[in-house]
């Protein structure tokens, strides 16, 4: 650094260059200033005029959500045009006068409109504020006719979810609701605007990203009074993708019809592929209420209904499987050797274990009973004895293998796991050891054991198809409008259940007897054209003490009545469909649940629907 | 060992000018984005935090002697070239351009860094090579090559704006270093020819922008839309402006990208010619003060460093303003200290740090 000075001296003098830099900078800045002077002073008036005249309005166009079809392309969920009235606040000079006029044309109280106006303050100024949605034809016409007196008022047409079958399969589709502030803040909903609707449950939520579509926009040039001068640019919205379900429209409708007026659920499943053919849960709701914005009163009514219309009972209803569980007990007993097809038990109506008495539903007993008779007439005593011999460990093992007690990984999501009790479970849950009395209860599907209708249907399918536990699924495929397949589900075997020898056949034959032989408890599900196999069940809602007298059925309040269950598959010799039905407080599987299954099977096989003559119930089958 | 004279010689004028510009910029940003639905941190607060980060970097840079950069110069250059090449191979693509390297916690745009690195590289070259009569064509081959490689790599991304800026910075520094009159003539002819040939290297949308610039009314809805809307916003501001947060054109009518490249339009609409004049004078003062720092620098390296930084700031200002008021085609060049964006803010503050550094060490030998 010592010779810096000398370094300067033998290099060119830079003073002139600095001067040049300085002058160049000043000159170019001056040029910019001149231009600004020209724009902002000389041409100011022209541009001010332009800025007044040239107001650009940006109107988003909502994309229709993707339609939902059944497996054969029947439309289940669609969109319809809905007209709404909104206002550009910047174009309104006299708010009160405008709202009064609108109130008259729309027949909506001024106060309501004013409230919407105020609520719109959270929108940016250039965004229209919605005042009335989904207005009728008459309202629309009145507003259109008087549009001259309504400066700043816009009529928008938006796609609104429509449901041709109203409350059918509502739980599968789910419902829409306005996007929350929290969702907007999370990165996941980046492309959404406040006030927009998103899926809140069911498929609408699960497949939101597929169904949403891409919003379009319209760029308008308007004058000072908000009158549209011309459309500058239109970017058409892209509708959401097409979703095809595994459901079959006719089977679904039959299930819903058969359950009408009752509370409960029905699931029909393809035994080989695990495809859900029908999934009904009752009582239901009409998702259209949500699509147009549900009112507070409607919402509260839905929430407070003691029969839980919002709950998808097929997935989240956990019921004691009752006598339908005897299928598990029989298979486990045969596999372990605790019983054979010819094991005979003399049923005298009860067994005694320690100080407790376990009753058969048939007070004076079934007499000498083998497996087939025990299943056909749902003899409890046979299963008590066999269950005791078998033990809880082998029983729960078989139940777990058949898909009970765990979530099945259903593609719609939201399923409950049910419960298969084990020694370890009881230790962890109650810090107590397992008692034989509990094994006795479990062997007829009472006590701790719980299953969802989806699990019962899957279990039945596994028994029907020879032991393949297949993952149930309801989404068949998703296609873009260009026909590109975006998602296609495939059959997935969760596990293979081993049945030695002809054990499975023995149980299958006994299930066939339940429906087709005299005294069979499943007689109400019998069809002439197709051979059905099945099992009834009646789940106790209130545990009766052993020494209680059987109360008179008519005298029990609804909420204490037993649940009715029925599982079935058909055709018995070459099964294709399995069904599980539960009717809450339906009392007997034989009288209320079996006919529902029958209607579903009739629809599936394309048989004319006929009602069987009412059968006498088997109390406690 | 810390020299107390450094503190004594700290350039408060420069720092205060920069802070004043940034403050006006953030106030204007607040107005430009006030009508927006905020789902996360408001833009102006983000910009404020970028300013804070930039300030820390600038002040941190004052702690070491800029003369160390002279020795690091060429290594920095090579490293930056590698990064630019890496962008073309593994870069992150966003909106059709591949400009970023994803480092997990942040995205680096090596072409931005190159603006600073080319300044250091050329400053070193010209501080060592100088002639009373100016450079000959042969002597310019090396600096040309040094500039051409990053410019080509940047254009490939494609990032025409940054490539042009690197080129413009280099041109100022080369002219400042001196060129023989005859060489200048030859270069002028070659440059004209290159510009003509370069037309065919441009992407379609880049050609479109230049054509649109020449006649914006041709395509009022496409690329001309920005220029027309921006001119209306600026022009309708008039002499005194529509008032802070009162700009109807920018507030209501969806002036596109009003918080980034078109930030000045919002300001000009709200503050009118008077405001624009004041802002331009402030920028001019920053430039002139930078030239003054270059003039007073203790060594040739410092002089060239300061000239380079001044050139960078100057071209950013001129290209952005020229674009916003319809004098230049629309290329995405931000207005320093004004447009929203972390990269721009940090690059500007690094430049400011270099100027502060050169300024406070002008008395040291």
């Amino acid at each position: 650094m010592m010779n810096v000075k000398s370094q300067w001296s033998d290099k060119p003098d830079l003073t002139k260059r600095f001067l040049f830099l300085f002058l160049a900078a000043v000159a170019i800045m001056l040029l910019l200033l001149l231009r600004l002077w020209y724009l902002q002073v000389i041409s100011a008036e022209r541009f001010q005029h332009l800025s007044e005249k040239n107001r650009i309005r940006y109107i988003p166009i909502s994309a229709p959500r993707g339609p939902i079809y059944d497996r054969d392309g029947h439309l289940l969920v669609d969109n319809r045009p809905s007209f709404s009235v909104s206002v550009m606040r910047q174009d309104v000079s006299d708010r009160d006068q405008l709202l009064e006029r609108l109130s008259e044309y729309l027949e909506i109280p001024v106060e309501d409109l004013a409230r919407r106006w105020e609520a719109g303050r959270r929108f940016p100024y250039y965004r229209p504020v919605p005042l009335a949605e989904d207005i009728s034809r008459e309202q629309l016409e009145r507003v259109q006719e008087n549009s001259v007196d309504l400066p700043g008022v816009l009529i928008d047409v938006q796609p609104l979810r429509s449901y041709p079958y109203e409350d059918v399969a509502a739980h599968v589709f789910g419902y829409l609701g306005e996007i929350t502030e929290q969702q907007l803040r999370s990165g996941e909903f980046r492309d959404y605007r406040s006030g927009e609707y998103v899926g809140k449950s069911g498929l609408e939520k699960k497949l939101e990203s597929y169904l949403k579509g891409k919003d379009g926009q319209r760029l308008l040039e308007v004058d000072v009074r908000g009158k549209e001068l011309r459309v500058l640019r239109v970017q058409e919205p892209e509708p959401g993708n097409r979703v095809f379900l595994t459901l079959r429209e006719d089977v679904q409708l039959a299930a819903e019809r058969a359950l009408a007026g009752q509370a409960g659920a029905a699931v029909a499943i393809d035994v080989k592929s695990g495809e859900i053919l029908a999934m009904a849960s009752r009582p239901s709701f009409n998702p259209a209420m949500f699509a147009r914005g549900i009112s507070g009163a409607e919402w509260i009514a839905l929430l407070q209904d003691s029969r839980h219309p919002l709950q998808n009972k097929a997935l989240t209803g956990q019921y004691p499987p009752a006598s339908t569980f005897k299928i598990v007990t029989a298979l486990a007993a045969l596999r372990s050797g605790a019983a054979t097809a010819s094991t005979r038990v003399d049923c005298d109506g009860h067994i005694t274990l320690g100080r407790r008495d376990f009753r058969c539903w048939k007070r004076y007993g079934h007499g000498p009973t083998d497996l087939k008779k025990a299943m056909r007439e749902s003899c409890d005593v046979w299963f008590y004895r066999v269950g005791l011999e078998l033990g809880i460990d082998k029983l729960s093992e078989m139940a777990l293998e058949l898909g009970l007690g765990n979530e099945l990984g259903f593609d719609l999501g939201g399923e409950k796991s049910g419960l298969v009790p084990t020694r370890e479970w009881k230790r962890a849950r109650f810090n107590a050891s397992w008692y034989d009395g509990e094994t006795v209860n479990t062997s007829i599907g009472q006590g701790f054991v719980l299953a969802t209708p989806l699990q019962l249907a899957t279990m039945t399918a596994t028994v029907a198809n020879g032991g393949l536990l297949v993952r149930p699924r309801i989404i068949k495929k998703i296609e873009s409008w260009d026909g590109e397949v975006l998602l296609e589900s495939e059959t997935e075997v969760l596990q293979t259940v081993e049945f030695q020898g002809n054990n499975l056949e023995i149980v299958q034959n006994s299930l066939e007897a339940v429906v087709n032989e005299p005294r069979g408890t499943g007689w109400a599900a019998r069809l002439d054209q197709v051979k059905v196999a099945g099992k009834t069940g009646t789940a106790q809602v209130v545990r009766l003490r052993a020494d209680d007298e059987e109360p008179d059925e008519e005298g029990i309040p609804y909420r204490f009545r037993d649940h009715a269950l029925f599982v079935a598959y058909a055709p018995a010799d070459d099964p294709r469909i399995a069904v599980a039905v539960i009717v809450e407080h339906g009392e007997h599987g034989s009288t209320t649940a079996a006919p529902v299954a029958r209607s579903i099977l009739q629809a599936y096989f394309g048989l004319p629907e006929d009602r069987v003559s009412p059968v006498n119930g088997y109390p406690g089958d | 060992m810390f020299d107390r004279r450094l503190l004594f010689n700290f350039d408060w004028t420069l720092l205060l000018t920069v802070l004043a510009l940034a403050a006006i910029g953030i106030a204007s940003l607040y107005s430009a984005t006030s009508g927006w639905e905020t789902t996360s941190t408001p833009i102006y607060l983000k910009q404020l935090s970028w300013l804070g980060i930039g300030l820390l970097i600038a002040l941190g840079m004052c702690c070491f002697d800029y003369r160390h950069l002279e020795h690091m110069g060429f290594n920095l250059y090579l490293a930056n070239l590698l990064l630019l090449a890496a962008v073309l191979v593994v870069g992150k693509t966003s909106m059709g351009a591949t400009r970023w390297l994803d480092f997990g916690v942040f995205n680096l745009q090596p072409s931005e860094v190159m603006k600073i690195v080319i300044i250091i590289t050329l400053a070193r070259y010209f501080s060592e090579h100088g002639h009373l009569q100016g450079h000959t064509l042969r002597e310019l081959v090396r600096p040309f090559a040094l500039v051409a490689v990053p410019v080509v790599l940047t254009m490939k991304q494609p990032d025409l704006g940054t490539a042009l800026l690197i080129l413009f910075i280099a041109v100022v520094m080369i002219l400042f270093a001196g060129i023989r009159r005859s060489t200048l003539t030859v270069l002028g002819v070659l440059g004209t020819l290159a510009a003509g040939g370069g037309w065919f290297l441009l992407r379609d949308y880049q050609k479109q922008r230049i054509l649109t610039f020449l006649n914006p009314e041709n395509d009022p809805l496409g690329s001309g839309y920005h220029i027309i809307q921006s001119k209306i916003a600026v022009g309708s501001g008039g002499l005194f402006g529509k008032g802070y947060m009162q700009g109807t054109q920018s507030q209501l009518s969806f002036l596109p990208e009003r918080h980034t490249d078109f930030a000045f339009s919002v300001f000009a609409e709200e503050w009118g010619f008077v405001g624009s004049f004041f802002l331009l004078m402030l920028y001019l003062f920053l430039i002139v003060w930078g030239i003054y720092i270059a003039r007073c620098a203790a060594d040739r390296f410092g002089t060239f460093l300061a000239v380079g930084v001044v050139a960078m700031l100057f071209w950013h200002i001129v290209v952005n303003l020229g674009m916003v008021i319809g004098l230049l085609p629309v290329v995405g060049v931000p207005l320093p200290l004004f447009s929203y964006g972390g990269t721009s803010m940090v690059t500007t503050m690094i430049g400011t740090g270099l100027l502060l550094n050169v300024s406070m060490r002008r008395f040291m030998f």
Side-chain angles (χ1 to χ4, degrees):
Chain A
M1 291 293 162
M2 287 308 290
N3 58 349
V4 169
K5 280 282 180 200
S6 61
Q7 209 185 359
W8 276 116
S9 55
D10 63 357
K11 298 281 159 71
D13 177 19
L14 293 170
T15 314
K16 266 163 109 182
R17 291 186 192 158
F18 281 117
L19 190 68
F20 183 77
L21 272 188
F22 171 77
L23 289 177
V26 171
I28 292 178
M29 279 293 190
L30 211 63
L31 198 69
L32 291 176
L33 267 181
L34 276 175
R35 173 71 175 180
L36 280 167
W37 174 265
Y38 167 77
L39 288 178
Q40 298 194 290
V41 181
I42 295 176
S43 322
E45 213 172 311
R46 182 164 69 91
F47 282 120
Q48 272 155 10
H49 178 67
L50 271 176
S51 91
E52 277 305 315
K53 189 200 95 173
N54 183 26
R55 282 192 185 168
I56 305 294
R57 183 175 291 164
Y58 164 90
I59 311 254
I61 314 174
S62 303
R65 285 176 82 81
I68 300 177
Y69 304 89
D70 83 342
R71 61 188 300 124
D72 304 314
H74 296 116
L75 199 54
L76 301 177
V77 181
D78 195 12
N79 302 284
R80 66 175 170 85
S82 147
F83 295 93
S84 63
V85 171
S86 53
V87 65
M88 295 295 298
R89 286 167 297 166
Q90 63 191 85
D91 298 330
V92 178
S93 47
D94 188 341
R95 184 194 99 143
D96 294 342
Q97 190 192 40
L98 179 86
L99 292 187
E100 242 163 71
R101 281 189 189 143
L102 264 182
S103 160
E104 186 191 323
Y105 303 142
L106 292 171
E107 293 164 334
I108 294 176
V110 176
E111 302 79 56
D112 288 1
L113 294 176
R115 200 174 314 123
R116 298 295 296 272
W117 179 293
E118 290 304 314
R121 287 192 185 279
R122 66 198 165 96
F123 292 119
Y125 213 50
Y126 56 81
R127 178 78 71 73
V129 174
L131 291 181
E133 271 118 19
D134 202 17
I135 58 173
S136 68
R137 280 263 158 218
E138 296 79 50
Q139 290 171 313
L140 172 72
E141 275 163 20
R142 279 198 296 271
V143 172
Q144 269 174 338
E145 278 164 20
N146 296 290
S147 63
V148 191
D149 301 334
L150 300 168
V153 169
L154 303 173
I155 294 170
D156 275 337
V157 53
Q158 281 148 346
L160 202 65
R161 266 299 199 218
S162 73
Y163 302 87
Y165 296 113
E166 297 185 344
D167 60 357
V168 165
H171 302 91
V172 171
F173 306 140
Y175 54 87
L176 301 171
E178 215 177 303
I179 190 164
T180 62
E181 283 294 314
Q182 208 178 354
Q183 283 176 313
L184 277 174
R185 266 195 294 272
S186 76
E188 201 184 331
F189 295 90
R190 200 164 300 144
D191 300 334
Y192 290 70
R193 306 183 304 266
S194 75
E196 231 181 327
Y197 276 65
V198 294
K200 295 279 181 179
S201 73
L203 284 171
E204 296 278 18
K205 181 180 183 188
K206 183 83 187 174
L207 300 180
E208 176 66 31
S209 60
Y210 289 103
L211 289 171
K212 155 87 171 131
K214 202 160 167 267
D215 288 349
Q217 60 187 57
R218 196 165 39 224
L219 214 55
L220 302 176
E221 195 181 272
V222 293
D223 67 7
V224 197
R225 297 191 57 242
K227 217 181 103 206
E228 198 175 308
L229 294 177
R230 60 181 176 136
V231 178
L232 292 178
R233 182 167 39 190
V234 177
Q235 193 188 331
E236 294 294 343
E238 292 168 28
N241 299 300
R242 292 140 46 97
V243 171
F244 291 85
L245 301 181
T246 61
L247 292 181
R248 234 180 77 176
E249 180 201 41
D250 50 348
V251 182
Q252 179 74 29
L253 284 172
E256 303 269 359
R257 252 198 316 270
L259 275 173
Q262 315 187 72
V267 175
I269 189 169
D270 183 301
V271 299
K272 293 198 179 73
S273 64
E275 291 177 340
I276 300 291
L277 300 162
M279 176 175 278
S281 177
R282 290 268 145 182
S284 189
F285 60 92
N286 189 346
M289 284 196 289
F290 292 91
R292 59 165 161 73
I294 190 166
S295 76
E298 286 171 327
W299 177 241
I300 288 170
L302 280 175
L303 285 183
Q304 288 182 343
D305 190 326
S306 62
R307 302 205 300 173
H308 307 294
L310 286 175
Q311 183 196 9
N312 186 352
K313 298 186 167 83
L315 295 179
T316 64
Q318 303 186 99
Y319 308 92
S323 297
T324 61
F325 193 75
K326 287 173 181 168
I327 299 171
V328 179
T329 310
L331 285 169
L334 290 172
R335 183 162 74 178
S336 72
T340 65
S342 50
T343 300
R344 270 172 196 273
V345 167
D346 194 13
C347 169
D348 61 355
H350 72 107
I351 67 163
T352 311
L353 197 67
R355 294 193 305 152
R356 270 196 71 184
D357 217 23
F358 292 87
R359 288 184 176 182
C360 187
W361 66 267
K362 196 167 181 183
R363 199 159 199 186
Y364 301 107
H366 290 87
T369 304
D370 62 4
L371 188 151
K372 190 173 178 184
K373 183 181 173 190
M375 195 71 96
R376 183 181 67 216
E377 297 173 30
S378 207
C379 171
D380 293 331
V381 165
W382 192 91
F383 286 95
Y384 290 155
R385 294 240 179 265
V386 166
L388 271 175
E389 184 73 26
L390 172 68
I392 186 63
D393 301 327
K394 286 176 182 134
L395 185 55
S396 50
E397 190 188 343
M398 177 57 80
L400 288 167
E401 279 181 51
L402 287 169
L404 302 181
N406 286 305
E407 288 170 25
L408 292 160
F410 185 46
D411 53 2
L412 180 57
E415 40 169 342
K416 285 268 162 61
S417 68
L419 175 64
V420 171
T422 60
R423 287 181 202 280
E424 299 76 48
W425 168 82
K426 199 185 168 201
R427 174 69 59 199
R429 177 78 175 74
F430 296 109
N431 192 27
S433 40
W434 187 266
Y435 299 120
D436 279 348
E438 290 161 341
T439 309
V440 169
N441 262 332
T442 308
S443 63
I444 62 156
Q446 299 283 358
F448 299 119
V449 59
L450 292 172
T452 66
L454 178 72
Q455 285 173 329
L456 291 177
T458 309
M459 173 192 87
T460 310
T462 309
V463 171
N465 69 22
L468 296 180
L469 181 66
V470 180
R471 192 191 295 287
R473 60 200 160 101
I474 199 163
I475 300 163
K476 193 164 178 64
K477 64 173 175 181
I478 301 177
E479 252 182 34
S480 75
W481 287 89
D482 314 330
E484 187 194 347
V485 177
L486 306 171
L487 187 144
E488 193 159 20
S489 67
E490 278 169 17
T491 304
E492 190 183 342
V493 177
L494 293 172
Q495 59 183 333
T496 309
V497 190
E498 296 291 339
F499 303 108
Q500 279 86 16
N502 59 349
N503 288 344
L504 183 63
E505 249 169 84
I506 294 167
V507 173
Q508 285 174 338
N509 286 337
S510 68
L511 294 174
E512 213 177 304
V514 170
V515 179
N516 297 291
E517 289 183 11
R519 305 181 76 97
T521 55
W523 188 260
R526 212 180 71 85
L527 292 173
D528 291 333
Q529 302 87 334
V530 180
K531 199 153 234 185
V532 179
K535 183 70 197 85
T536 54
T538 301
Q540 288 175 347
V541 170
V542 180
R543 179 177 292 273
L544 298 169
R545 286 192 26 217
D547 51 352
D548 276 350
E549 277 300 294
E550 277 297 315
D552 173 26
E553 292 152 45
E554 299 305 312
I556 313 173
Y558 174 78
R559 67 177 193 279
F560 294 135
R561 288 182 203 162
D562 295 341
H563 296 323
L565 291 94
F566 189 70
V567 299
Y569 62 84
D573 43 7
D574 179 24
R576 284 159 55 196
I577 177 175
V579 177
V581 177
I582 176 146
V583 179
E584 288 183 359
H585 312 296
E587 299 197 298
H588 308 302
S590 51
T591 49
T592 49
V596 174
R598 186 171 193 268
S599 298
I600 293 172
L601 294 174
Q602 276 174 333
Y604 179 79
F605 291 107
L607 306 173
E609 199 168 332
D610 58 340
R611 288 264 159 213
V612 273
S613 47
V615 266
N616 291 324
Y618 298 87
D621 53 11
Chain B
M1 195 179 69
F2 189 75
D3 195 326
R4 289 237 307 269
R5 285 178 300 173
L6 286 178
L7 216 55
F8 185 72
N9 288 324
F10 187 80
D11 195 338
W12 291 104
T13 313
L14 176 65
L15 188 67
L16 288 177
T17 310
V18 165
L19 286 180
L21 281 165
I24 299 170
I26 288 170
S28 185
L29 211 52
Y30 178 77
S31 167
T33 58
S34 63
W36 290 15
E37 292 159 84
T38 45
T39 52
S40 57
T41 321
I43 294 274
Y44 74 96
L45 281 183
K46 285 193 199 165
Q47 182 78 337
L48 202 59
S49 54
W50 280 119
L51 176 62
I53 292 168
L55 213 53
L56 282 180
I57 295 175
L59 294 178
M61 284 174 61
C62 294
C63 296
F64 73 93
D65 195 323
Y66 67 89
R67 275 169 284 213
H68 294 308
L69 288 173
E70 192 169 357
H71 310 296
M72 290 157 63
F74 203 64
N75 291 334
L76 284 176
Y77 176 80
L78 283 180
N80 205 160
L81 273 193
L82 279 179
L83 288 178
L84 272 177
V87 165
L88 295 181
V89 184
V90 295
K92 205 178 119 180
T93 305
S94 159
M95 296 188 287
T98 311
R99 300 174 184 172
W100 295 270
L101 285 178
D102 192 347
F103 279 89
V105 278
F106 68 99
N107 293 320
L108 184 75
Q109 193 180 342
S111 57
E112 277 293 326
V113 185
M114 195 41 133
K115 288 183 201 162
I116 301 286
V117 170
I118 200 75
I119 291 170
I120 298 171
T121 311
L122 290 180
R124 179 182 171 183
Y125 182 84
F126 288 120
S127 68
E128 286 170 2
H129 306 81
H131 296 278
L132 273 170
Q133 292 86 17
H135 293 82
T136 62
L137 200 54
R138 258 188 66 194
E139 288 159 345
L140 284 177
V141 169
R142 271 177 67 193
F144 272 147
L146 287 175
V147 176
V149 178
V151 165
V152 168
L153 286 176
T154 307
M155 277 189 73
K156 281 216 123 186
Q157 292 181 357
D159 186 354
L160 184 62
T162 311
L164 279 178
L165 270 161
I166 295 173
L167 195 65
F168 284 2
I169 293 167
V171 165
V172 171
M173 292 181 77
I174 291 169
L175 284 177
F176 187 78
I179 303 181
R180 281 174 203 229
R181 215 169 279 267
S182 56
T183 311
L184 199 61
T185 318
V186 174
L187 281 179
V189 174
L190 282 179
T192 314
L193 289 176
W199 173 257
F200 299 102
L201 291 177
L202 292 179
R203 308 260 172 144
D204 279 344
Y205 79 95
Q206 289 166 337
K207 288 183 192 171
Q208 188 58 45
R209 277 187 187 170
I210 293 170
L211 287 177
T212 303
F213 159 69
L214 294 173
N215 187 6
E217 322 293 333
N218 237 352
D219 181 18
L221 306 182
S223 40
Y225 179 80
H226 290 200
I227 299 179
I228 295 175
Q229 290 302 315
S230 177
K231 271 164 67 181
I232 293 174
V234 173
S236 65
L239 189 56
F240 296 107
K242 295 177 183 170
Y244 185 53
M245 301 195 57
Q246 303 292 316
T248 55
Q249 189 64 20
S250 43
Q251 298 266 347
L252 301 180
S253 307
F254 226 72
L255 179 68
E257 289 162 54
R258 60 180 186 262
H259 63 304
T260 56
D261 290 352
F262 288 86
F264 177 76
S265 316
V266 178
F267 178 85
E269 186 187 12
E270 296 185 348
W271 296 94
F273 181 74
V274 173
S276 307
F277 180 81
F278 176 75
L279 192 71
L280 253 63
M281 284 305 111
L282 213 50
Y283 274 122
L284 183 59
F285 179 76
L286 178 69
I287 297 303
V288 171
W289 192 258
I291 296 173
Y292 171 72
I293 290 172
R295 174 94 173 81
C296 300
D299 57 355
R300 269 175 70 88
F301 179 67
T303 297
F304 276 100
L305 208 55
V307 166
V309 171
V310 166
M312 178 180 85
L313 293 175
F314 182 74
W315 286 123
H316 266 108
I317 296 164
V318 169
V319 172
N320 179 277
L321 292 183
M323 154 183 108
V324 166
I325 59 182
L327 280 178
L328 293 172
V330 175
V331 280
V333 171
L335 184 59
L337 305 165
F338 223 80
S339 295
Y340 170 71
T343 311
S344 167
M345 184 60 96
V346 168
T347 313
T348 306
M349 292 313 270
I350 289 175
T352 307
L354 288 176
L355 283 182
L356 285 173
N357 204 324
V358 172
S359 178
M360 67 201 278
R361 291 186 169 83
R362 62 188 184 268
F363 303 110
M364 307 193 68
F365 291 100

